[in-house]
Amino acid sequence: MENQKKVLVTGAGGFIGHHLVRFLKKQGYWVRGVDIKEPEYSPKNEADEFLLLDLRFLENCLKATEGIEEVYALAANMGGIGFITFHNADVLYDNVCINANTAEASKKNGVKRLFYSSSACIYPTYKQEETNLVALKESDAYPADPDNEYGWEKLFSERLYKSYGEFYQARIARFHNIFGPEGTYDGGREKAPAALARKIALAKDGDYVEIWGDGLQTRSFCYVDDCVEGVYKLMRSDFKEPLNIGSDRLISINDMLDMVAKIAGKKVNKKHLLDKPQGVRGRNSDNTLCKRVLNWEPKVSLEEGMEKTYKWISEQIKGVQ
Ligand code: NAD
């Protein structure tokens, strides 16, 4: 349709990106997806157009943003705690290039509005040293002391996109551990929920399932459908500051494993690997500002979301066995 608004999703071959493409199509947009790889778990023709481009380069960001009114900037070189702990230079170089060039190309091509996916990893280490921590408010970001380089780059890029505010409207969300089906579940880039679901799917009753750290570390987990809905609501709002998008239900990794085992109907034992990276001790989202600004908060329960995620991952594993 001629009058359809044209939007771009970068990182559309990735987990949240392809869920967002599907959501935006349902809202009636014309969607261009761009990634360095094709979507692994969904057809690439879910987007009206899908371009394979390396967004570390300005000329490719210019191609990606040509004729586009709104950009959802999700492309990033990232993975779970193991990956971001051991690939600092790649993570910093790639993500600085992707974001600097996406920001500049959006300006050059007259984009009107841009969404940037920041992360709870920007929050300072000194606020996350207890398992039973006080949930993180947006204003806790400074004085800055992120736990890893990935978080430092996210914090820098929040500032980068904000500084382009005179050229286009920028909206920024800090995602807190997004999970769900159709995402990476093995190979080293997977996050804790997908890794736990994979390990349980492969386990038999009585097996020992490995957990990184003592398992007492705590997190909150937000289901991907809630995440994309929150992104869209933020994009349509007039709120210009970074906003948490996450669940405010705190759970330890040990309890999360028990939950997945119960969903799977399996009785397993835990084996704690104390020499593996486990990130900060505790992290939770304070949703006060989100509720006030968007009149919304995530609604899918962890049990419901994990059930869908476990089902999808166990089907994938059966499919390759
Ligand atoms: P993902 O790894 O599945 O998706 C990122 C996509 O970016 C990948 O498909 C990757 O191929 C693409 N990409 C990497 N380098 C590129 C390049 N040079 N050019 C073009 N594309 C490139 O990750 P995700 O979980 O879908 O995360 C999406 C965004 O949300 C990322 O910016 C991530 O940092 C952020 N985020 C995610 C979470 C989470 O829990 N999943 C939490 C906080 C922030």
Side-chain angles (χ1 to χ4, degrees):
M1 273 186 291
E2 276 302 296
N3 57 357
Q4 264 183 316
K5 194 183 268 185
K6 290 192 165 185
V7 302
L8 164 70
V9 177
T10 78
F15 167 50
I16 304 171
H18 87 260
H19 282 275
L20 184 60
V21 167
R22 196 175 291 162
F23 180 90
L24 292 168
K25 281 304 300 166
K26 281 194 193 134
Q27 311 305 310
Y29 291 92
W30 184 94
V31 184
R32 176 182 295 154
V34 169
D35 204 294
I36 203 167
K37 61 159 203 219
E38 290 190 356
E40 268 168 84
Y41 306 115
S42 67
K44 72 173 183 177
N45 62 8
E46 275 197 315
D48 294 280
E49 182 177 74
F50 190 94
L51 304 180
L52 278 175
L53 293 170
D54 185 340
L55 295 175
R56 290 175 300 177
F57 303 102
L58 181 62
E59 64 268 29
N60 289 339
C61 291
L62 286 167
K63 282 183 201 155
T65 51
E66 197 180 345
I68 290 293
E69 216 169 302
E70 296 188 350
V71 173
Y72 292 83
L74 273 73
N77 186 359
M78 61 100 63
I81 186 67
F83 181 82
I84 62 174
T85 302
F86 297 118
H87 297 86
N88 285 327
D90 287 350
V91 163
L92 279 177
Y93 176 79
D94 289 358
N95 295 337
V96 164
C97 291
I98 291 169
N99 287 314
N101 288 316
T102 301
E104 181 64 13
S106 297
K107 174 187 140 186
K108 286 195 157 65
N109 273 330
V111 164
K112 294 198 171 58
R113 203 170 266 253
L114 179 146
F115 168 84
Y116 173 56
S117 54
S118 182
S119 167
C121 286
I122 65 96
Y123 286 113
T125 315
Y126 58 82
K127 293 256 175 194
Q128 304 173 84
E129 285 168 344
E130 308 286 334
T131 53
N132 197 11
L133 80 163
V134 176
L136 296 157
K137 294 192 294 295
E138 288 78 354
S139 55
D140 288 329
Y142 295 95
D145 183 24
D147 168 56
N148 52 52
E149 304 309 334
Y150 167 78
W152 277 105
E153 189 283 329
K154 287 285 185 196
L155 196 59
F156 163 76
S157 288
E158 286 188 359
R159 303 183 73 99
L160 169 82
Y161 285 112
K162 263 188 88 175
S163 72
Y164 275 81
E166 59 179 300
F167 304 106
Y168 45 78
Q169 295 281 324
R171 301 288 177 263
I172 300 164
R174 293 177 182 153
F175 293 160
H176 289 247
N177 296 310
I178 312 303
F179 77 102
E182 299 180 11
T184 305
Y185 60 90
D186 64 4
R189 282 182 187 255
E190 67 279 17
K191 309 281 192 59
L196 293 178
R198 182 198 72 232
K199 289 174 187 176
I200 295 281
L202 289 167
K204 297 185 294 299
D205 279 340
D207 278 359
Y208 277 82
V209 172
E210 291 180 351
I211 289 184
W212 288 13
D214 61 9
L216 298 174
Q217 67 270 29
T218 52
R219 295 290 184 278
S220 74
F221 297 96
C222 175
Y223 191 62
V224 66
D225 289 359
D226 278 332
C227 171
V228 296
E229 190 179 308
V231 166
Y232 187 63
K233 283 184 182 288
L234 175 58
M235 188 66 150
R236 301 272 58 89
S237 81
D238 58 6
F239 191 70
K240 294 184 178 157
E241 300 299 321
L243 193 68
N244 285 336
I245 290 189
S247 158
D248 58 4
R249 173 174 166 194
L250 197 64
I251 184 167
S252 73
I253 299 299
N254 283 335
D255 288 349
M256 181 89 165
L257 184 106
D258 291 341
M259 181 189 289
V260 184
K262 192 171 163 205
I263 289 169
K266 295 186 184 182
K267 290 203 175 353
V268 296
N269 301 298
K270 301 182 188 80
K271 180 178 178 189
H272 293 111
L273 304 181
L274 299 178
D275 57 341
K276 293 283 187 187
Q278 54 169 292
V280 293
R281 202 61 184 141
R283 172 177 292 156
N284 195 7
S285 176
D286 183 315
N287 288 347
T288 313
L289 189 60
C290 178
K291 283 188 247 180
R292 182 154 63 76
V293 168
L294 303 183
N295 195 20
W296 171 91
E297 66 179 319
K299 51 185 175 297
V300 179
S301 73
L302 187 55
E303 285 80 359
E304 190 188 335
M306 270 319 298
E307 205 158 327
K308 289 182 177 160
T309 308
Y310 178 76
K311 187 167 178 279
W312 182 80
I313 290 177
S314 58
E315 277 164 7
Q316 302 304 302
I317 288 172
K318 273 185 213 137
V320 292
Q321 274 178 341

